[in-house]
Amino acid sequence: MSPRRRRSLIAILSLVVLPLGVAAPARADRIDDYIKAEMQKRRIPGLALAVVRDGTVVKMQGYGLANLDHDVPVTPDTVFELASVTKQFTAAAIMTLVEEGKLQLDDPILWHLPQGPATWSAITVRHLLTHTSGLPGLEENFKALWPGGPRLYYSTAQLFNAATKDPLSFPAGERFRYSDVGYFLLGMIIEHVSGQRYADFLDERFFRPLGMTSTSVIDQWKILKHRAAGYTIRDGQLVNIRRVAQAELASHYGVMSTVKDLVKWEAALAAGRVVSVASLGQMWTPVRLTDGSTFPYGFGWSVDERRGHRWISHTGITGTEFSRFPDDKLTAIVLTNLGALIGSRELVSPWGLTLGVAGRYIPGLLVSTQKAEPDPDPAATERLRDILGRLARGEDVPTVNPRLPGYVGKNVLAERLRTLQSFTFVTCDDARAPAMEILGERVSRVCHYRLVNAEGTRYYSFFLTDDGRVATVWSTTE
């Protein structure tokens, strides 16, 4: 085991022993001010926040309104649709079955879904967990169901039949492509192997034993106490999001929960009461692709690093985010009721608040708190700004990792640059120890820049090799 992996597992183990008490937060006003200002700026109607540090809840609070029609305030008991934050529950269910010896990560999925097409023969359970199966992304999945427009109900059989007709975009293991289809199929595998419905499995194995009394798998027919209404932005106006469809199997998006219950889930994860510490280590390890490079996603979690701090997280399209900083023993959970619609070009931005919250507890995490230094190389700054423009236009850039353009949201980047006002150097971090690899490139330093446009301020971080090549680029709000 590498020294870095040992440190990661030690960090996990360090979380398991402390009881989940509640302490008065020392920085309550600062967090409140940050959250309220961001809600106003981003037009978030309602938000619930929980912060756990050293096993103790230091902040749990609701802000704004859960329902605008009836002026219902958000509380820690408000139930939100987690959307893709669900994927960690599905991944944990798979790992539970692996620990019981009922399936293996490298099982071909056709062993458990023999009715699937021959084109899936090389896809394993691990490929589904890590989004490296080659199955389609969010704007192209279940395509056979598109004619006739959205439906109110989708059976498992209908979704599976549509999935079998979706073309693969690359050989399994070759690259990362986020896919709801993969996590839907994982739900089918859970049902096949366990002999239980997905919702019943989660309820029996996780929700009831952990006392997560306000957590369930979505049932649009059910009256759900304290449920937040969902909103989005359309034609510049705040409107109802109209997410009313029901899937018989919702393993890719369907868990409903509260920050209060997710704190219980967090404590159980940390204590090894969901899956073992060894299984968590696998879930929180970046996937290794067939060419030997890695991508920062594990099993149901993104696995990143921010300024030397490990950052394990996931977001949901409904405006939810769950972030763990295991080396700092801090977890931040933000649930909002402002979501996005797939394919919409409206500016909807409820995400990134967990990083902003965590950075107000963890010194040095945020670039925004770093005093800007004199730019040591204005020509390099101009070159990196130009690289952003070329990536947005889909141009070939010889000084950029050839794997990177496939992961860049060109339209979003182009829109941000369209109203660019300034792009200024902040600082560079030495990334040589411990060794950092991003998309197959060894990173020696990470340089941060402040980008200001009509939308506001974002921070772009360029991960650079010894010879100045761009291994990858991250963008965050803080």
Side-chain angles (χ1 to χ4, degrees):
M1 182 182 294
S2 70
R4 184 176 181 183
R5 192 64 62 217
R6 276 197 298 274
R7 285 194 296 272
S8 299
L9 289 177
I10 289 169
I12 294 168
L13 285 166
S14 70
L15 291 172
V16 305
V17 294
L18 293 174
L20 202 67
V22 178
R27 281 170 263 205
D29 290 343
R30 190 179 182 193
I31 299 299
D32 289 346
D33 290 346
Y34 168 69
I35 289 293
K36 290 174 182 177
E38 291 299 316
M39 287 179 67
Q40 182 174 10
K41 184 191 332 181
R42 302 169 189 233
R43 303 177 66 186
I44 298 172
L47 180 152
L49 167 69
V51 182
V52 180
R53 192 174 199 185
D54 290 325
T56 297
V57 177
V58 296
K59 185 79 171 175
M60 185 184 292
Q61 189 165 327
Y63 304 83
L65 296 176
N67 187 298
L68 296 177
D69 289 332
H70 302 290
D71 291 331
V72 178
V74 173
T75 75
D77 292 306
T78 300
V79 177
F80 292 83
E81 183 181 346
L82 300 187
S84 283
V85 174
T86 294
K87 289 178 171 67
Q88 64 184 270
F89 293 94
T90 300
I94 287 288
M95 293 306 291
T96 298
L97 295 170
V98 169
E99 290 180 351
E100 294 173 356
K102 294 179 179 177
L103 60 83
Q104 300 296 320
L105 292 173
D106 294 316
D107 285 353
I109 65 172
L110 291 183
W111 288 6
H112 306 290
L113 303 173
Q115 67 275 45
T119 53
W120 292 358
S121 61
I123 300 174
T124 66
V125 173
R126 189 188 303 272
H127 290 137
L128 297 184
L129 286 166
T130 55
H131 298 288
T132 57
S133 63
L135 289 163
L138 298 182
E139 296 192 12
E140 299 173 350
N141 57 19
F142 303 114
K143 210 164 186 177
L145 293 175
W146 292 8
R151 310 178 188 187
L152 290 178
Y153 179 77
Y154 297 91
S155 70
T156 299
Q158 287 172 326
L159 287 169
F160 181 77
N161 180 61
T164 64
K165 297 174 182 176
D166 284 336
L168 299 179
S169 55
F170 53 85
E174 183 180 90
R175 59 186 297 257
F176 174 94
R177 189 179 194 189
Y178 190 84
S179 175
D180 272 359
V181 178
Y183 270 75
F184 164 73
L185 295 178
L186 286 170
M188 289 189 68
I189 291 172
I190 291 166
E191 293 191 341
H192 176 263
V193 172
S194 70
Q196 290 182 279
R197 298 283 297 270
Y198 172 79
D200 294 337
F201 185 93
L202 264 56
D203 190 54
E204 180 181 303
R205 299 298 189 96
F206 302 150
F207 304 155
R208 278 190 282 144
L210 299 178
M212 299 172 67
T213 55
S214 297
T215 305
S216 61
V217 175
I218 193 167
D219 178 353
Q220 298 285 24
W221 291 98
K222 184 178 180 180
I223 295 172
L224 196 60
K225 295 291 187 182
H226 310 301
R227 179 176 180 175
Y231 302 94
T232 191
I233 295 173
R234 183 169 182 252
D235 297 330
Q237 301 298 314
L238 198 63
V239 297
N240 290 304
I241 199 168
R242 299 182 68 182
R243 281 175 62 95
V244 296
Q246 175 70 44
E248 182 182 4
L249 174 59
S251 51
H252 48 304
Y253 77 92
V255 171
M256 310 284 293
S257 193
T258 67
V259 289
K260 187 178 287 186
D261 272 6
L262 290 178
V263 164
K264 297 175 183 178
W265 172 253
E266 156 66 20
L269 279 175
R273 291 190 287 124
V274 176
V275 295
S276 70
V277 170
S279 291
L280 281 179
Q282 292 184 77
M283 293 174 71
W284 296 341
T285 298
V287 58
R288 189 162 295 277
L289 306 176
T290 51
D291 66 1
S293 66
T294 61
F295 189 87
Y297 196 94
F299 302 169
W301 295 87
S302 294
V303 185
D304 292 327
E305 190 170 348
R306 184 68 173 171
R307 308 202 76 196
H309 302 266
R310 293 181 68 226
W311 178 16
I312 299 165
S313 65
H314 215 289
T315 60
I317 198 171
T318 49
T320 57
E321 189 167 26
F322 193 134
S323 289
R324 311 182 85 256
F325 297 85
D327 297 342
D328 301 285
K329 303 178 186 178
L330 187 135
T331 293
I333 304 165
V334 170
L335 306 180
T336 85
N337 55 358
L338 178 67
L341 295 173
I342 295 172
S344 172
R345 295 186 180 276
E346 293 278 359
L347 176 61
V348 179
S349 181
W351 305 282
L353 294 174
T354 57
L355 178 65
V357 168
R360 284 156 175 79
Y361 290 91
I362 302 171
L365 179 65
L366 301 180
V367 177
S368 59
T369 62
Q370 174 80 38
K371 183 179 179 181
E373 301 170 2
D375 192 340
D377 192 346
T381 298
E382 182 63 22
R383 178 177 65 86
L384 293 174
R385 192 204 64 77
D386 181 64
I387 283 174
L388 288 181
R390 296 181 67 181
L391 288 172
R393 294 189 294 272
E395 297 177 7
D396 180 51
V397 188
T399 55
V400 166
N401 184 339
R403 301 175 182 88
L404 177 59
Y407 301 118
V408 172
K410 294 191 290 291
N411 292 335
V412 172
L413 182 54
E415 181 60 25
R416 287 176 183 160
L417 294 176
R418 186 180 64 81
T419 60
L420 178 66
Q421 297 170 8
S422 64
F423 182 79
T424 54
F425 175 81
V426 179
T427 190
C428 287
D429 300 329
D430 191 326
R432 289 172 294 184
M436 181 189 297
E437 177 200 319
I438 299 286
L439 298 180
E441 301 265 10
R442 183 60 62 87
V443 175
S444 63
R445 69 190 191 282
V446 184
C447 291
H448 309 283
Y449 295 81
R450 181 180 290 109
L451 183 151
V452 179
N453 65 4
E455 174 188 336
T457 300
R458 297 188 71 87
Y459 294 88
Y460 275 80
S461 301
F462 295 80
F463 292 69
L464 303 173
T465 64
D466 277 334
D467 60 358
R469 285 169 51 80
V470 177
T472 193
V473 184
W474 286 356
S475 163
T476 59
T477 56
E478 297 185 350

